[in-house]
Amino acid sequence: FADSLLPDAERSDAQVRHAAHYANVLGTANTLYLTGGDSIMLGLSLFDREWFSIQTGQAWAGAEASGDRTALRLCSEYAQQWDILSLRLPPPSYIPWLQAAQEAAREMGDRRMEGTHLGHIGIEYGKLEEAKVAIEYHELHLAAAKESNDRHGEGNAVGNLGNEYSNV
């Protein structure tokens, strides 16, 4: 409703602020979830309560990502909250977030993060029992990790490849 009342000049700034705020909310929910103990339920409750606005912020970032540095960064950041997102979103819903984030990281020239997103896409395809597709993404992750000298990413990619090859 508020969006419809804003003049065009103010709408763009408001959308950026909204997307940035809810990227932070999602990050807070993920951090609380990872903290453990009573914080798990606080993080999940925050996620569930703010889910509509989180989706709206991510959708804006994904739609505006072409060429807009702030939107590119936010698009990548939204998908980086892997722990809570992979728990709350089924793979068919999470994969598009990861694909948009991977494209955003590529456009920003962040090969390391692009590889990380590729690896998470592979994990989600593995959950769908699509091992061959998952392997393709893990191989892309491995290549990106090698190019960006990301030894931790290389280890993750190799481990994930081993897991998926055991499922073929």
Side-chain angles (χ1 to χ4, degrees):
F1 173 75
D3 183 61
S4 68
L5 299 176
L6 289 172
D8 288 341
E10 292 177 31
R11 180 176 294 112
S12 179
D13 289 339
Q15 289 170 328
V16 170
R17 287 192 310 274
H18 178 274
H21 174 74
Y22 284 100
N24 287 332
V25 169
L26 177 59
T28 299
N30 194 61
T31 299
L32 285 167
Y33 173 72
L34 290 175
T35 299
D38 293 337
S39 295
I40 292 172
M41 292 309 296
L42 291 173
L44 294 174
S45 175
L46 176 60
F47 179 90
D48 293 341
R49 188 173 53 252
E50 301 296 346
W51 177 232
F52 178 79
S53 295
I54 291 168
Q55 285 179 293
T56 302
Q58 188 279 335
W60 175 87
E64 298 296 318
S66 184
D68 182 314
R69 195 86 175 150
T70 300
L72 288 167
R73 180 183 53 78
L74 287 169
C75 185
S76 183
E77 284 179 16
Y78 269 98
Q80 290 174 37
Q81 308 309 321
W82 350 96
D83 303 288
I84 202 163
L85 288 171
S86 66
L87 177 71
R88 283 298 204 227
L89 295 181
S93 297
Y94 189 26
I95 288 170
W97 284 42
L98 289 164
Q99 289 170 327
Q102 179 262 319
E103 285 295 318
R106 183 190 53 74
E107 193 168 329
M108 289 187 298
D110 187 346
R111 188 72 169 131
R112 178 183 226 149
M113 187 52 63
E114 180 184 2
T116 301
H117 290 310
L118 287 164
H120 283 278
I121 295 169
I123 290 168
E124 295 302 311
Y125 274 108
K127 290 177 185 177
L128 294 171
E129 299 181 1
E130 294 187 34
K132 290 181 181 180
V133 177
I135 287 168
E136 291 175 21
Y137 278 100
H138 292 309
E139 287 174 345
L140 291 170
H141 178 203
L142 180 59
K146 285 180 179 179
E147 287 176 28
S148 61
N149 199 29
D150 177 8
R151 301 290 291 164
H152 183 75
E154 283 184 59
N156 285 338
V158 169
N160 288 328
L161 279 166
N163 290 336
E164 288 305 327
Y165 274 113
S166 71
N167 294 327
V168 177

